[in-house]
């Protein structure tokens, strides 16, 4: 995982996440997916101050048609700051020997090959580096991303 920001050693704001201090929620399906990939994520989040809530019992939701009826439902979610969610995910990610996290990295090019895995070129600490045979490449940098430019 390459991130252009330097990654803090605590749940702290960083330039690339302007809405990080706002309350965020992980709906049940997202929470279950993360828990599958990172067992113990939910309990770690709760131990650090995240809150489990029920969508219709604990949350007042207004829709165009009016308010959702209050009461228990099967729609549960966990609420926390994005800072905390990202930090706990980073902590768990680096514990997996098959994954690597490199902050302060800027992707410079992605070579797409029809018969083989892509090659990702990036700079980090002033040095140009490459990842060959990447199992998965996701460019989450928006319109300025290298994969978007390659696909046009």
């Amino acid at each position: 995982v390459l991130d252009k920001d330097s990654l803090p050693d605590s749940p702290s704001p960083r330039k690339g996440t302007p809405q990080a201090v706002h309350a965020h929620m992980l709906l049940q399906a997202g929470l279950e997916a993360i828990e599958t990939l990172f067992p113990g994520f939910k309990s770690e989040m709760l131990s650090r101050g995240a809150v489990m809530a029920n969508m219709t019992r604990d949350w007042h939701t207004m829709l165009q048609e009016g308010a959702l009826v209050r009461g228990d439902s099967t729609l549960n979610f966990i609420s926390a700051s994005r800072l905390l969610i990202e930090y706990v995910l980073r902590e768990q990610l680096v514990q997996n020997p098959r994954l690597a996290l490199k902050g302060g990295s800027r992707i410079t090019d992605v070579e797409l090959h029809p018969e083989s895995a892509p090659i990702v070129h990036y700079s980090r600490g002033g040095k140009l580096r490459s990842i060959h045979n990447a199992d998965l490449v996701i460019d989450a940098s928006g319109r300025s991303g290298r994969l978007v430019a390659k696909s046009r």
Side-chain angles (χ1 to χ4, degrees), residues 55-70:
M55 184 65 82
T56 55
R57 182 190 64 226
D58 304 322
W59 207 258
H60 186 73
T61 305
M62 289 295 294
L63 303 173
Q64 187 173 5
E65 298 80 16
L68 285 181
V69 176
R70 302 294 294 259

Side-chain angles (χ1 to χ4, degrees), residues 54-106:
N54 183 273
M55 184 65 82
T56 55
R57 182 190 64 226
D58 304 322
W59 207 258
H60 186 73
T61 305
M62 289 295 294
L63 303 173
Q64 187 173 5
E65 298 80 16
L68 285 181
V69 176
R70 302 294 294 259
D72 285 330
S73 75
T74 58
L75 303 172
N76 296 304
F77 64 90
I78 195 166
S79 180
S81 70
R82 178 172 170 173
L83 300 172
L84 182 61
I85 295 167
E86 284 188 358
Y87 182 71
V88 172
L89 281 173
R90 282 196 310 267
E91 279 188 325
Q92 295 198 343
L93 185 142
V94 298
Q95 293 175 18
N96 185 327
R98 296 179 54 212
L99 301 174
L101 177 62
K102 299 176 187 308
S105 300
R106 181 171 292 283

Side-chain angles (χ1 to χ4, degrees), residues 105-116:
S105 300
R106 181 171 292 283
I107 294 176
T108 57
D109 193 22
V110 178
E111 294 179 35
L112 302 176
H113 303 279
E115 302 299 323
S116 63

